[in-house]
């Protein structure tokens, strides 16, 4: 039951009705007996500044931030953790008296999952996209010591990402790749990461059809039965799903907000239960 003492949390995005974070985070609160509620908050891009000020004024204790607000959210925080500073994007906000403190949990989530999938130092990695999620993935891949190539429809955005992350990660090897030659770039890579919003509800566009092999690792930030995920499974690649990324980053956010170890297995089961219901 929600009362006047219930702590409020939410996810801001545009669109955000598809988000699975509410059932995942509410399952975590219920499991640990935390008096809190988590909701999805649709916010148009031109209203993100006032939305974050309003959420703070309303007493929200924490927020997640998703497409397309992550870079802007970072610039609106009064303090950032070192990863959010390096990435230039914040996907987790924690309330302080003076405003929002920003964190990036996408990046460490991506790093641990890629490392567990067997990504090794010196591997060639192809990152598709140059937005907030792509920046988090770039940080993770460079921390793992990969040779990073970034392909985006807007080449200038890919070049900016490479410059920013190379400056933030000592010894980084980052360069742009030709988006028009994405199939060949993917074939030459040991690791392929989709950091775009392609196949998110409400977002248009498609990636070129890609084929994968059993010796490759594929990570897709978009959850659900995406074309990329199907291609990875068909080729026998080691697939890191958008659901895995969502749960891992959400568990890290839960701990930032509450100081408690997150019940990650219960959070994953909450997503599985929704998928089964569908």
């Amino acid at each position: 039951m929600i009362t006047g003492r219930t702590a409020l949390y939410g996810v801001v995005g545009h669109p955000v009705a598809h988000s699975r974070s509410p059932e995942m985070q509410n399952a975590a609160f219920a499991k640990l007996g935390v008096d809190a509620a988590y909701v999805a908050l649709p916010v148009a891009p031109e209203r993100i500044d006032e939305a974050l000020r309003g959420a703070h004024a309303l007493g929200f204790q924490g927020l997640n931030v998703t497409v397309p607000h992550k870079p802007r959210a970072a610039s609106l925080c009064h303090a950032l953790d070192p990863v959010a500073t390096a990435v230039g994007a914040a996907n987790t906000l924690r309330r302080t008296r003076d405003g929002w403190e920003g964190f990036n949990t996408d990046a460490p989530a991506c790093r641990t999952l890629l490392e567990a999938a067997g990504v090794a130092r010196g591997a060639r990695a192809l990152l598709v996209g140059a937005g907030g999620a792509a920046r988090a993935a770039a940080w993770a891949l460079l921390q793992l010591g990969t040779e990073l190539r970034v392909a985006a429809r807007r080449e200038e955005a890919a070049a900016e990402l490479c410059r920013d992350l190379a400056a933030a990660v000592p010894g980084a090897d980052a360069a742009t790749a030709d988006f028009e030659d994405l199939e060949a770039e993917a074939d030459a890579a040991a690791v392929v990461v989709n950091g775009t919003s392609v196949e998110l509800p409400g977002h248009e566009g498609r990636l070129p059809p890609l084929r994968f092999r059993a010796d490759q690792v594929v990570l897709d930030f978009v959850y659900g039965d995406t074309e990329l995920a199907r291609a990875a499974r068909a080729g026998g690649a080691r697939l890191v799903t958008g659901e895995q990324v969502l749960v891992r980053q959400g568990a890290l956010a839960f701990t930032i907000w509450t100081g408690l170890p997150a019940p990650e297995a219960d959070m994953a089961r909450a997503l599985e239960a929704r998928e089964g219901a569908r």
Side-chain angles (χ1 to χ4, degrees):
M1 180 180 292
I2 296 175
T3 72
R5 296 184 178 87
T6 302
L8 298 178
Y9 297 86
V11 54
V12 297
H14 183 75
V16 77
H18 67 278
S19 176
R20 300 182 186 179
S21 290
E23 61 257 46
M24 178 180 72
Q25 295 292 0
N26 285 318
F29 291 139
K31 175 68 176 180
L32 298 187
V34 178
D35 184 7
Y38 184 108
V39 295
L41 302 166
V43 177
E46 66 274 14
R47 307 201 70 176
I48 185 61
D49 296 36
E50 62 183 306
L52 293 187
R53 289 195 300 269
H56 192 276
L58 286 168
F60 275 75
Q61 297 301 302
L63 295 171
N64 283 133
V65 182
T66 189
V67 177
H69 301 313
K70 296 176 187 181
R72 181 59 183 164
S75 71
L76 296 172
C77 292
H78 78 88
L80 294 174
D81 80 324
V83 180
T85 299
V87 170
N91 75 303
T92 297
L93 308 183
R94 180 171 65 187
R95 181 188 183 84
T96 72
R97 183 184 62 182
D98 299 322
W100 295 112
E101 183 179 10
F103 302 81
N104 193 296
T105 61
D106 284 334
C110 192
R111 177 180 177 171
T112 57
L113 290 167
L114 287 170
E115 191 170 31
V119 174
R121 180 168 296 275
R124 179 160 176 152
L126 172 65
L127 170 62
V128 186
R135 284 177 165 267
W139 180 92
L141 289 162
L142 291 173
Q143 289 288 332
L144 291 172
T146 66
E147 298 176 4
L148 178 62
R149 301 296 176 262
V150 182
R153 293 188 187 278
R154 293 189 302 114
E155 187 176 353
E156 65 275 15
E160 182 181 10
L161 184 157
C162 290
R163 288 194 300 270
D164 292 348
L165 271 295
V169 181
D173 180 352
T176 60
D178 186 356
F179 187 87
E180 299 304 318
D181 201 19
L182 200 61
E183 294 174 68
E185 293 287 353
D187 188 62
V191 189
V192 178
V193 175
N194 175 33
T196 75
S197 58
V198 171
E199 292 199 68
L200 270 178
H203 293 263
E204 297 180 352
R206 292 181 65 184
L207 295 177
L210 302 177
R211 295 182 179 181
F212 299 105
R213 306 180 305 271
D215 62 344
Q216 291 177 301
V217 174
V218 178
L219 184 149
D220 194 349
F221 266 88
V222 179
Y223 43 77
D225 186 29
T226 66
E227 287 188 24
L228 194 77
R230 290 196 298 272
R233 292 189 181 100
R238 285 161 286 170
L239 174 64
V240 179
T241 67
E243 286 83 355
Q244 288 174 282
V245 177
L246 179 68
V247 171
R248 182 63 52 84
Q249 68 79 24
L252 294 170
F254 181 93
T255 298
I256 287 170
W257 294 327
T258 67
L260 301 171
E264 192 167 335
D266 294 273
M267 297 167 82
R269 280 193 287 272
L271 296 191
E272 292 167 4
R274 171 172 167 174
E275 194 61 33
R278 293 174 65 190

PDB file of all heavy atoms in Angstrom, residues 57-90:
ATOM      1  N   ALA A  57      11.523  18.534  -6.533  1.00  0.00           N
ATOM      2  CA  ALA A  57      10.611  19.310  -5.688  1.00  0.00           C
ATOM      3  C   ALA A  57       9.508  18.440  -5.103  1.00  0.00           C
ATOM      4  O   ALA A  57       9.048  18.669  -3.977  1.00  0.00           O
ATOM      5  CB  ALA A  57       9.998  20.453  -6.510  1.00  0.00           C
ATOM      6  N   LEU A  58       9.085  17.404  -5.852  1.00  0.00           N
ATOM      7  CA  LEU A  58       8.026  16.515  -5.378  1.00  0.00           C
ATOM      8  C   LEU A  58       8.530  15.480  -4.375  1.00  0.00           C
ATOM      9  O   LEU A  58       7.731  14.735  -3.806  1.00  0.00           O
ATOM     10  CB  LEU A  58       7.381  15.804  -6.575  1.00  0.00           C
ATOM     11  CG  LEU A  58       6.464  16.673  -7.440  1.00  0.00           C
ATOM     12  CD1 LEU A  58       6.130  15.952  -8.743  1.00  0.00           C
ATOM     13  CD2 LEU A  58       5.203  17.029  -6.683  1.00  0.00           C
ATOM     14  N   GLY A  59       9.827  15.388  -4.189  1.00  0.00           N
ATOM     15  CA  GLY A  59      10.364  14.488  -3.186  1.00  0.00           C
ATOM     16  C   GLY A  59      10.783  13.128  -3.693  1.00  0.00           C
ATOM     17  O   GLY A  59      11.027  12.222  -2.884  1.00  0.00           O
ATOM     18  N   PHE A  60      10.860  12.937  -5.011  1.00  0.00           N
ATOM     19  CA  PHE A  60      11.380  11.660  -5.516  1.00  0.00           C
ATOM     20  C   PHE A  60      12.774  11.427  -4.955  1.00  0.00           C
ATOM     21  O   PHE A  60      13.602  12.337  -4.912  1.00  0.00           O
ATOM     22  CB  PHE A  60      11.425  11.664  -7.049  1.00  0.00           C
ATOM     23  CG  PHE A  60      10.130  11.284  -7.701  1.00  0.00           C
ATOM     24  CD1 PHE A  60       9.063  12.168  -7.738  1.00  0.00           C
ATOM     25  CD2 PHE A  60       9.974  10.026  -8.270  1.00  0.00           C
ATOM     26  CE1 PHE A  60       7.860  11.816  -8.326  1.00  0.00           C
ATOM     27  CE2 PHE A  60       8.777   9.654  -8.876  1.00  0.00           C
ATOM     28  CZ  PHE A  60       7.716  10.552  -8.903  1.00  0.00           C
ATOM     29  N   GLN A  61      13.019  10.183  -4.531  1.00  0.00           N
ATOM     30  CA  GLN A  61      14.296   9.838  -3.912  1.00  0.00           C
ATOM     31  C   GLN A  61      15.347   9.394  -4.928  1.00  0.00           C
ATOM     32  O   GLN A  61      16.549   9.456  -4.654  1.00  0.00           O
ATOM     33  CB  GLN A  61      14.085   8.730  -2.877  1.00  0.00           C
ATOM     34  CG  GLN A  61      13.196   9.131  -1.724  1.00  0.00           C
ATOM     35  CD  GLN A  61      13.736  10.332  -0.971  1.00  0.00           C
ATOM     36  OE1 GLN A  61      14.852  10.305  -0.463  1.00  0.00           O
ATOM     37  NE2 GLN A  61      12.943  11.399  -0.915  1.00  0.00           N
ATOM     38  N   GLY A  62      14.897   8.937  -6.082  1.00  0.00           N
ATOM     39  CA  GLY A  62      15.838   8.498  -7.099  1.00  0.00           C
ATOM     40  C   GLY A  62      15.134   8.314  -8.422  1.00  0.00           C
ATOM     41  O   GLY A  62      13.915   8.095  -8.478  1.00  0.00           O
ATOM     42  N   LEU A  63      15.907   8.410  -9.492  1.00  0.00           N
ATOM     43  CA  LEU A  63      15.369   8.240 -10.841  1.00  0.00           C
ATOM     44  C   LEU A  63      16.328   7.428 -11.686  1.00  0.00           C
ATOM     45  O   LEU A  63      17.548   7.487 -11.502  1.00  0.00           O
ATOM     46  CB  LEU A  63      15.167   9.599 -11.526  1.00  0.00           C
ATOM     47  CG  LEU A  63      14.143  10.562 -10.940  1.00  0.00           C
ATOM     48  CD1 LEU A  63      14.260  11.915 -11.632  1.00  0.00           C
ATOM     49  CD2 LEU A  63      12.731  10.014 -11.062  1.00  0.00           C
ATOM     50  N   ASN A  64      15.764   6.669 -12.604  1.00  0.00           N
ATOM     51  CA  ASN A  64      16.529   6.159 -13.733  1.00  0.00           C
ATOM     52  C   ASN A  64      16.239   7.064 -14.924  1.00  0.00           C
ATOM     53  O   ASN A  64      15.169   7.673 -15.011  1.00  0.00           O
ATOM     54  CB  ASN A  64      16.149   4.727 -14.084  1.00  0.00           C
ATOM     55  CG  ASN A  64      16.744   3.708 -13.136  1.00  0.00           C
ATOM     56  OD1 ASN A  64      16.047   2.814 -12.659  1.00  0.00           O
ATOM     57  ND2 ASN A  64      18.038   3.827 -12.859  1.00  0.00           N
ATOM     58  N   VAL A  65      17.180   7.124 -15.850  1.00  0.00           N
ATOM     59  CA  VAL A  65      17.053   7.972 -17.026  1.00  0.00           C
ATOM     60  C   VAL A  65      17.325   7.110 -18.249  1.00  0.00           C
ATOM     61  O   VAL A  65      18.332   6.402 -18.301  1.00  0.00           O
ATOM     62  CB  VAL A  65      18.050   9.144 -16.977  1.00  0.00           C
ATOM     63  CG1 VAL A  65      17.861  10.048 -18.190  1.00  0.00           C
ATOM     64  CG2 VAL A  65      17.895   9.936 -15.684  1.00  0.00           C
ATOM     65  N   THR A  66      16.427   7.154 -19.212  1.00  0.00           N
ATOM     66  CA  THR A  66      16.621   6.365 -20.422  1.00  0.00           C
ATOM     67  C   THR A  66      16.511   7.270 -21.649  1.00  0.00           C
ATOM     68  O   THR A  66      16.444   8.503 -21.535  1.00  0.00           O
ATOM     69  CB  THR A  66      15.638   5.177 -20.463  1.00  0.00           C
ATOM     70  OG1 THR A  66      15.993   4.319 -21.547  1.00  0.00           O
ATOM     71  CG2 THR A  66      14.200   5.620 -20.604  1.00  0.00           C
ATOM     72  N   VAL A  67      16.524   6.655 -22.835  1.00  0.00           N
ATOM     73  CA  VAL A  67      16.539   7.374 -24.110  1.00  0.00           C
ATOM     74  C   VAL A  67      15.435   8.429 -24.148  1.00  0.00           C
ATOM     75  O   VAL A  67      14.290   8.134 -23.788  1.00  0.00           O
ATOM     76  CB  VAL A  67      16.329   6.364 -25.263  1.00  0.00           C
ATOM     77  CG1 VAL A  67      16.267   7.075 -26.608  1.00  0.00           C
ATOM     78  CG2 VAL A  67      17.451   5.325 -25.262  1.00  0.00           C
ATOM     79  N   PRO A  68      15.739   9.668 -24.543  1.00  0.00           N
ATOM     80  CA  PRO A  68      17.016  10.186 -25.051  1.00  0.00           C
ATOM     81  C   PRO A  68      17.731  11.102 -24.076  1.00  0.00           C
ATOM     82  O   PRO A  68      18.520  11.958 -24.494  1.00  0.00           O
ATOM     83  CB  PRO A  68      16.559  10.998 -26.270  1.00  0.00           C
ATOM     84  CG  PRO A  68      15.273  11.631 -25.772  1.00  0.00           C
ATOM     85  CD  PRO A  68      14.619  10.614 -24.848  1.00  0.00           C
ATOM     86  N   HIS A  69      17.453  10.946 -22.772  1.00  0.00           N
ATOM     87  CA  HIS A  69      17.793  11.987 -21.807  1.00  0.00           C
ATOM     88  C   HIS A  69      19.137  11.830 -21.088  1.00  0.00           C
ATOM     89  O   HIS A  69      19.503  12.698 -20.302  1.00  0.00           O
ATOM     90  CB  HIS A  69      16.699  12.065 -20.744  1.00  0.00           C
ATOM     91  CG  HIS A  69      15.339  12.369 -21.267  1.00  0.00           C
ATOM     92  ND1 HIS A  69      15.077  13.375 -22.169  1.00  0.00           N
ATOM     93  CD2 HIS A  69      14.137  11.778 -21.013  1.00  0.00           C
ATOM     94  CE1 HIS A  69      13.781  13.412 -22.437  1.00  0.00           C
ATOM     95  NE2 HIS A  69      13.190  12.449 -21.758  1.00  0.00           N
ATOM     96  N   LYS A  70      19.860  10.735 -21.299  1.00  0.00           N
ATOM     97  CA  LYS A  70      21.030  10.460 -20.459  1.00  0.00           C
ATOM     98  C   LYS A  70      22.110  11.532 -20.518  1.00  0.00           C
ATOM     99  O   LYS A  70      22.607  11.960 -19.464  1.00  0.00           O
ATOM    100  CB  LYS A  70      21.609   9.085 -20.801  1.00  0.00           C
ATOM    101  CG  LYS A  70      20.665   7.929 -20.492  1.00  0.00           C
ATOM    102  CD  LYS A  70      21.251   6.596 -20.935  1.00  0.00           C
ATOM    103  CE  LYS A  70      20.255   5.467 -20.777  1.00  0.00           C
ATOM    104  NZ  LYS A  70      20.832   4.167 -21.180  1.00  0.00           N
ATOM    105  N   PRO A  71      22.525  11.993 -21.709  1.00  0.00           N
ATOM    106  CA  PRO A  71      23.543  13.057 -21.715  1.00  0.00           C
ATOM    107  C   PRO A  71      23.064  14.350 -21.056  1.00  0.00           C
ATOM    108  O   PRO A  71      23.808  14.988 -20.303  1.00  0.00           O
ATOM    109  CB  PRO A  71      23.833  13.254 -23.208  1.00  0.00           C
ATOM    110  CG  PRO A  71      23.475  11.945 -23.837  1.00  0.00           C
ATOM    111  CD  PRO A  71      22.263  11.489 -23.067  1.00  0.00           C
ATOM    112  N   ARG A  72      21.840  14.756 -21.342  1.00  0.00           N
ATOM    113  CA  ARG A  72      21.323  15.990 -20.758  1.00  0.00           C
ATOM    114  C   ARG A  72      21.189  15.859 -19.242  1.00  0.00           C
ATOM    115  O   ARG A  72      21.497  16.798 -18.496  1.00  0.00           O
ATOM    116  CB  ARG A  72      19.971  16.337 -21.376  1.00  0.00           C
ATOM    117  CG  ARG A  72      19.351  17.637 -20.842  1.00  0.00           C
ATOM    118  CD  ARG A  72      20.232  18.816 -21.081  1.00  0.00           C
ATOM    119  NE  ARG A  72      19.682  20.053 -20.511  1.00  0.00           N
ATOM    120  CZ  ARG A  72      20.390  21.153 -20.313  1.00  0.00           C
ATOM    121  NH1 ARG A  72      21.686  21.191 -20.633  1.00  0.00           N
ATOM    122  NH2 ARG A  72      19.824  22.239 -19.794  1.00  0.00           N
ATOM    123  N   ALA A  73      20.750  14.700 -18.767  1.00  0.00           N
ATOM    124  CA  ALA A  73      20.613  14.502 -17.327  1.00  0.00           C
ATOM    125  C   ALA A  73      21.953  14.691 -16.625  1.00  0.00           C
ATOM    126  O   ALA A  73      22.022  15.271 -15.529  1.00  0.00           O
ATOM    127  CB  ALA A  73      20.055  13.113 -17.043  1.00  0.00           C
ATOM    128  N   ALA A  74      23.027  14.216 -17.234  1.00  0.00           N
ATOM    129  CA  ALA A  74      24.355  14.377 -16.631  1.00  0.00           C
ATOM    130  C   ALA A  74      24.689  15.853 -16.454  1.00  0.00           C
ATOM    131  O   ALA A  74      25.259  16.257 -15.423  1.00  0.00           O
ATOM    132  CB  ALA A  74      25.412  13.683 -17.484  1.00  0.00           C
ATOM    133  N   SER A  75      24.337  16.663 -17.435  1.00  0.00           N
ATOM    134  CA  SER A  75      24.672  18.086 -17.362  1.00  0.00           C
ATOM    135  C   SER A  75      23.828  18.822 -16.326  1.00  0.00           C
ATOM    136  O   SER A  75      24.191  19.926 -15.902  1.00  0.00           O
ATOM    137  CB  SER A  75      24.484  18.736 -18.737  1.00  0.00           C
ATOM    138  OG  SER A  75      23.111  18.849 -19.069  1.00  0.00           O
ATOM    139  N   LEU A  76      22.714  18.232 -15.901  1.00  0.00           N
ATOM    140  CA  LEU A  76      21.820  18.879 -14.943  1.00  0.00           C
ATOM    141  C   LEU A  76      22.090  18.472 -13.497  1.00  0.00           C
ATOM    142  O   LEU A  76      21.477  19.014 -12.582  1.00  0.00           O
ATOM    143  CB  LEU A  76      20.368  18.554 -15.294  1.00  0.00           C
ATOM    144  CG  LEU A  76      19.870  19.093 -16.640  1.00  0.00           C
ATOM    145  CD1 LEU A  76      18.494  18.547 -16.963  1.00  0.00           C
ATOM    146  CD2 LEU A  76      19.862  20.616 -16.647  1.00  0.00           C
ATOM    147  N   CYS A  77      23.006  17.524 -13.293  1.00  0.00           N
ATOM    148  CA  CYS A  77      23.322  17.071 -11.935  1.00  0.00           C
ATOM    149  C   CYS A  77      24.335  18.016 -11.277  1.00  0.00           C
ATOM    150  O   CYS A  77      25.234  18.531 -11.944  1.00  0.00           O
ATOM    151  CB  CYS A  77      23.898  15.658 -11.964  1.00  0.00           C
ATOM    152  SG  CYS A  77      22.705  14.394 -12.446  1.00  0.00           S
ATOM    153  N   HIS A  78      24.210  18.178  -9.977  1.00  0.00           N
ATOM    154  CA  HIS A  78      25.174  19.037  -9.278  1.00  0.00           C
ATOM    155  C   HIS A  78      26.466  18.288  -8.961  1.00  0.00           C
ATOM    156  O   HIS A  78      27.489  18.905  -8.656  1.00  0.00           O
ATOM    157  CB  HIS A  78      24.563  19.619  -7.991  1.00  0.00           C
ATOM    158  CG  HIS A  78      24.517  18.665  -6.848  1.00  0.00           C
ATOM    159  ND1 HIS A  78      25.553  18.512  -5.959  1.00  0.00           N
ATOM    160  CD2 HIS A  78      23.556  17.802  -6.451  1.00  0.00           C
ATOM    161  CE1 HIS A  78      25.220  17.594  -5.064  1.00  0.00           C
ATOM    162  NE2 HIS A  78      24.020  17.157  -5.342  1.00  0.00           N
ATOM    163  N   ALA A  79      26.408  16.948  -9.085  1.00  0.00           N
ATOM    164  CA  ALA A  79      27.610  16.128  -8.878  1.00  0.00           C
ATOM    165  C   ALA A  79      27.456  14.850  -9.685  1.00  0.00           C
ATOM    166  O   ALA A  79      26.340  14.354  -9.878  1.00  0.00           O
ATOM    167  CB  ALA A  79      27.799  15.801  -7.396  1.00  0.00           C
ATOM    168  N   LEU A  80      28.588  14.325 -10.178  1.00  0.00           N
ATOM    169  CA  LEU A  80      28.600  13.090 -10.956  1.00  0.00           C
ATOM    170  C   LEU A  80      29.642  12.139 -10.401  1.00  0.00           C
ATOM    171  O   LEU A  80      30.701  12.570  -9.930  1.00  0.00           O
ATOM    172  CB  LEU A  80      28.929  13.375 -12.429  1.00  0.00           C
ATOM    173  CG  LEU A  80      27.935  14.175 -13.260  1.00  0.00           C
ATOM    174  CD1 LEU A  80      28.535  14.472 -14.629  1.00  0.00           C
ATOM    175  CD2 LEU A  80      26.616  13.430 -13.402  1.00  0.00           C
ATOM    176  N   ASP A  81      29.358  10.832 -10.480  1.00  0.00           N
ATOM    177  CA  ASP A  81      30.378   9.857 -10.120  1.00  0.00           C
ATOM    178  C   ASP A  81      31.410   9.810 -11.252  1.00  0.00           C
ATOM    179  O   ASP A  81      31.177  10.311 -12.350  1.00  0.00           O
ATOM    180  CB  ASP A  81      29.757   8.489  -9.824  1.00  0.00           C
ATOM    181  CG  ASP A  81      29.435   7.689 -11.072  1.00  0.00           C
ATOM    182  OD1 ASP A  81      29.027   8.283 -12.085  1.00  0.00           O
ATOM    183  OD2 ASP A  81      29.584   6.460 -11.030  1.00  0.00           O
ATOM    184  N   PRO A  82      32.595   9.225 -10.993  1.00  0.00           N
ATOM    185  CA  PRO A  82      33.654   9.239 -12.009  1.00  0.00           C
ATOM    186  C   PRO A  82      33.258   8.581 -13.327  1.00  0.00           C
ATOM    187  O   PRO A  82      33.692   9.030 -14.390  1.00  0.00           O
ATOM    188  CB  PRO A  82      34.800   8.477 -11.328  1.00  0.00           C
ATOM    189  CG  PRO A  82      34.577   8.694  -9.867  1.00  0.00           C
ATOM    190  CD  PRO A  82      33.090   8.699  -9.698  1.00  0.00           C
ATOM    191  N   VAL A  83      32.438   7.532 -13.273  1.00  0.00           N
ATOM    192  CA  VAL A  83      32.054   6.857 -14.516  1.00  0.00           C
ATOM    193  C   VAL A  83      31.127   7.740 -15.331  1.00  0.00           C
ATOM    194  O   VAL A  83      31.294   7.889 -16.553  1.00  0.00           O
ATOM    195  CB  VAL A  83      31.409   5.489 -14.233  1.00  0.00           C
ATOM    196  CG1 VAL A  83      31.030   4.806 -15.535  1.00  0.00           C
ATOM    197  CG2 VAL A  83      32.360   4.601 -13.439  1.00  0.00           C
ATOM    198  N   ALA A  84      30.135   8.345 -14.716  1.00  0.00           N
ATOM    199  CA  ALA A  84      29.233   9.247 -15.440  1.00  0.00           C
ATOM    200  C   ALA A  84      30.003  10.423 -16.021  1.00  0.00           C
ATOM    201  O   ALA A  84      29.708  10.882 -17.131  1.00  0.00           O
ATOM    202  CB  ALA A  84      28.131   9.742 -14.516  1.00  0.00           C
ATOM    203  N   THR A  85      31.001  10.901 -15.295  1.00  0.00           N
ATOM    204  CA  THR A  85      31.833  11.994 -15.799  1.00  0.00           C
ATOM    205  C   THR A  85      32.590  11.551 -17.041  1.00  0.00           C
ATOM    206  O   THR A  85      32.627  12.263 -18.055  1.00  0.00           O
ATOM    207  CB  THR A  85      32.826  12.449 -14.718  1.00  0.00           C
ATOM    208  OG1 THR A  85      32.104  12.927 -13.582  1.00  0.00           O
ATOM    209  CG2 THR A  85      33.721  13.558 -15.237  1.00  0.00           C
ATOM    210  N   ALA A  86      33.193  10.368 -16.991  1.00  0.00           N
ATOM    211  CA  ALA A  86      33.953   9.855 -18.135  1.00  0.00           C
ATOM    212  C   ALA A  86      33.052   9.576 -19.325  1.00  0.00           C
ATOM    213  O   ALA A  86      33.414   9.874 -20.472  1.00  0.00           O
ATOM    214  CB  ALA A  86      34.707   8.587 -17.727  1.00  0.00           C
ATOM    215  N   VAL A  87      31.882   9.017 -19.073  1.00  0.00           N
ATOM    216  CA  VAL A  87      30.968   8.625 -20.142  1.00  0.00           C
ATOM    217  C   VAL A  87      30.246   9.834 -20.734  1.00  0.00           C
ATOM    218  O   VAL A  87      29.914   9.853 -21.924  1.00  0.00           O
ATOM    219  CB  VAL A  87      29.955   7.584 -19.613  1.00  0.00           C
ATOM    220  CG1 VAL A  87      28.849   7.323 -20.615  1.00  0.00           C
ATOM    221  CG2 VAL A  87      30.673   6.286 -19.262  1.00  0.00           C
ATOM    222  N   GLY A  88      29.986  10.839 -19.897  1.00  0.00           N
ATOM    223  CA  GLY A  88      29.223  11.986 -20.361  1.00  0.00           C
ATOM    224  C   GLY A  88      27.734  11.733 -20.397  1.00  0.00           C
ATOM    225  O   GLY A  88      27.001  12.384 -21.139  1.00  0.00           O
ATOM    226  N   ALA A  89      27.278  10.784 -19.593  1.00  0.00           N
ATOM    227  CA  ALA A  89      25.851  10.443 -19.546  1.00  0.00           C
ATOM    228  C   ALA A  89      25.531   9.858 -18.182  1.00  0.00           C
ATOM    229  O   ALA A  89      26.358   9.150 -17.597  1.00  0.00           O
ATOM    230  CB  ALA A  89      25.487   9.448 -20.642  1.00  0.00           C
ATOM    231  N   ALA A  90      24.344  10.150 -17.671  1.00  0.00           N
ATOM    232  CA  ALA A  90      23.893   9.608 -16.389  1.00  0.00           C
ATOM    233  C   ALA A  90      22.577   8.877 -16.586  1.00  0.00           C
ATOM    234  O   ALA A  90      21.659   9.425 -17.201  1.00  0.00           O
ATOM    235  CB  ALA A  90      23.720  10.718 -15.357  1.00  0.00           C
TER     236      ALA A  90
END
